[in-house]
Amino acid sequence: MLTLRQIEVIRAIMVTGTIAGAAKLLGVAAPGVSRLMKYTEDSLRVRLFNRSHGRYVPTPEARHIFGLLDTVYRQVEDLQFAVQRLEKGDGLELSVGSVPSIANVMVPRAIAKLRQQYPSLYIDINILKIEEAIDYLLVGRGEVVAISSYLEHSIIHFEPLATGRLLCIVPQDSELAGKDTIAPADIARHALIGIDPNDPYGRVMTEIFRRQNLAYDMKIKARFGTTVCALVAAELGIAIIDEFTVAAGRVPGIKCLEIEADTTFPTFVAYRRDVPLSIFSERFIDTLRTEMTRAKR
């Protein structure tokens, strides 16, 4: 049975008519081409070329197989071209979703790294509420969703992504800005801005109060973490926020304080159990996990 390399060599000799020409076409040394040609003919027990004045001329009995060899070679070239397109993501699209807290900073960082590897890949990013994530996956709008809550579902799998922490954000010019850490009881004494505690993301933010049985007064409720940051910067109160929302660094008008309690919480990436992930989705998940792990303060 002929190998692809043997087919390459036979075709190169057929096209150029010489060992030297075939070697130049293939970018290899001429003696290697000559040895492989002799080995191929010995193995097939068929003489493929007659040698005449330094040129290789196809034998009459072998001439009819050269058309087939050329067809195989071109099909291999087409396969290699298709693989190269796949390696770049050429003409393909990746659709992903994310809750706002992860999409704000982490997803763009992951996408930037992904585009370095797949520069031609089309990417569609959807910002979703937690309650929208299941439908997004079930109707096939996207392959994966980065999410901050775990839900039991028979079709959707929730894979651990990264562990995050909560921070307390205070106005930059406030008295609290002189601190580096703050206790949950001290947070509860101030007017709070936050996500609705009945919202899954809001429950993550207020869990430390429930854990210590602390009463708190949420004066202003907002839907997204970025809005909460802006309200705190406007000196309308203080807030608890996840570290991924403020991972870009210094957010104008606020200071981040460590909370004197265990505030770790898990995040997940959700995808369908019954549909294999594309290589692009797998790489996106790996890259996002790396970026979220690096983001820890």
Side-chain angles (χ1 to χ4, degrees), residues 62-95:
R63 190 179 298 273
H64 75 281
I65 73 169
F66 288 149
L68 296 175
L69 288 176
D70 192 57
T71 299
V72 170
Y73 181 81
R74 294 191 183 281
Q75 288 176 336
V76 171
E77 279 190 323
D78 291 343
L79 176 60
Q80 290 174 334
F81 178 70
V83 170
Q84 288 171 355
R85 291 189 65 192
L86 180 61
E87 289 175 344
K88 296 178 181 177
D90 192 13
L92 301 173
E93 182 177 80
L94 170 65
S95 295

Side-chain angles (χ1 to χ4, degrees), residues 9-21:
V9 168
I10 294 170
R11 182 181 180 277
I13 295 174
M14 179 180 66
V15 169
T16 63
T18 66
I19 292 292

Side-chain angles (χ1 to χ4, degrees), residues 9-292:
V9 168
I10 294 170
R11 182 181 180 277
I13 295 174
M14 179 180 66
V15 169
T16 63
T18 66
I19 292 292
K24 185 176 181 180
L25 182 64
L26 297 173
V28 297
V33 173
S34 180
R35 285 194 299 271
L36 183 58
M37 190 66 250
K38 183 179 184 309
Y39 171 78
T40 301
E41 290 183 323
D42 291 345
S43 300
L44 296 175
R45 298 190 180 91
V46 173
R47 192 167 190 80
L48 299 176
F49 295 95
N50 287 321
R51 285 70 168 171
S52 176
H53 304 293
R55 295 194 64 82
Y56 278 59
V57 180
T59 61
E61 58 270 25
R63 190 179 298 273
H64 75 281
I65 73 169
F66 288 149
L68 296 175
L69 288 176
D70 192 57
T71 299
V72 170
Y73 181 81
R74 294 191 183 281
Q75 288 176 336
V76 171
E77 279 190 323
D78 291 343
L79 176 60
Q80 290 174 334
F81 178 70
V83 170
Q84 288 171 355
R85 291 189 65 192
L86 180 61
E87 289 175 344
K88 296 178 181 177
D90 192 13
L92 301 173
E93 182 177 80
L94 170 65
S95 295
V96 299
S98 175
V99 294
S101 58
I102 300 175
N104 185 44
V105 178
M106 296 293 97
V107 169
R109 288 182 180 178
I111 293 298
K113 294 291 177 60
L114 194 68
R115 284 302 294 272
Q116 291 176 7
Q117 184 168 6
Y118 304 110
S120 300
L121 181 66
Y122 291 93
I123 301 172
D124 181 40
I125 304 169
N126 287 268
I127 311 303
L128 307 170
K129 299 177 183 178
I130 292 175
E131 56 270 25
E132 295 172 335
I134 299 298
D135 286 346
Y136 175 81
L137 294 171
L138 289 179
V139 301
R141 289 180 57 206
E143 287 191 72
V144 300
V145 176
I147 195 166
S148 53
S149 294
Y150 177 86
L151 304 172
E152 286 287 348
H153 199 281
S154 59
I155 296 177
I156 307 301
H157 176 65
F158 286 78
E159 177 184 328
L161 185 57
T163 300
R165 294 177 306 133
L166 301 179
L167 301 169
C168 178
I169 56 174
V170 301
Q172 183 177 341
D173 296 328
S174 67
E175 183 178 340
L176 288 175
K179 294 175 169 284
D180 293 320
T181 66
I182 188 169
D186 291 332
I187 299 174
R189 294 190 187 101
H190 290 78
L192 291 178
I193 301 168
I195 312 298
D196 188 341
N198 294 316
D199 179 278
Y201 178 63
R203 283 197 294 273
V204 173
M205 302 300 105
T206 55
E207 177 60 27
I208 60 171
F209 299 133
R210 284 189 293 274
R211 198 180 302 152
Q212 299 190 21
N213 198 27
L214 294 170
Y216 62 93
D217 187 11
M218 190 170 291
K219 296 290 188 182
I220 302 176
K221 297 175 185 176
R223 184 66 188 85
F224 302 117
T226 50
T227 307
V228 170
C229 290
L231 291 167
V232 172
E235 301 184 354
L236 296 173
I238 68 174
I240 295 174
I241 202 76
D242 68 281
E243 65 178 333
F244 302 122
T245 296
V246 294
R250 184 177 177 81
V251 179
I254 70 171
K255 180 179 179 181
C256 296
L257 308 182
E258 299 283 348
I259 299 175
E260 298 167 5
D262 179 13
T263 64
T264 57
F265 65 94
T267 62
F268 305 89
V269 60
Y271 50 84
R272 292 182 61 139
R273 300 177 190 272
D274 58 338
V275 179
L277 290 176
S278 69
I279 187 173
F280 308 117
S281 287
E282 291 178 347
R283 194 57 54 86
F284 170 72
I285 292 170
D286 291 342
T287 306
L288 181 59
R289 180 177 288 115
T290 298
E291 290 302 316
M292 292 178 71

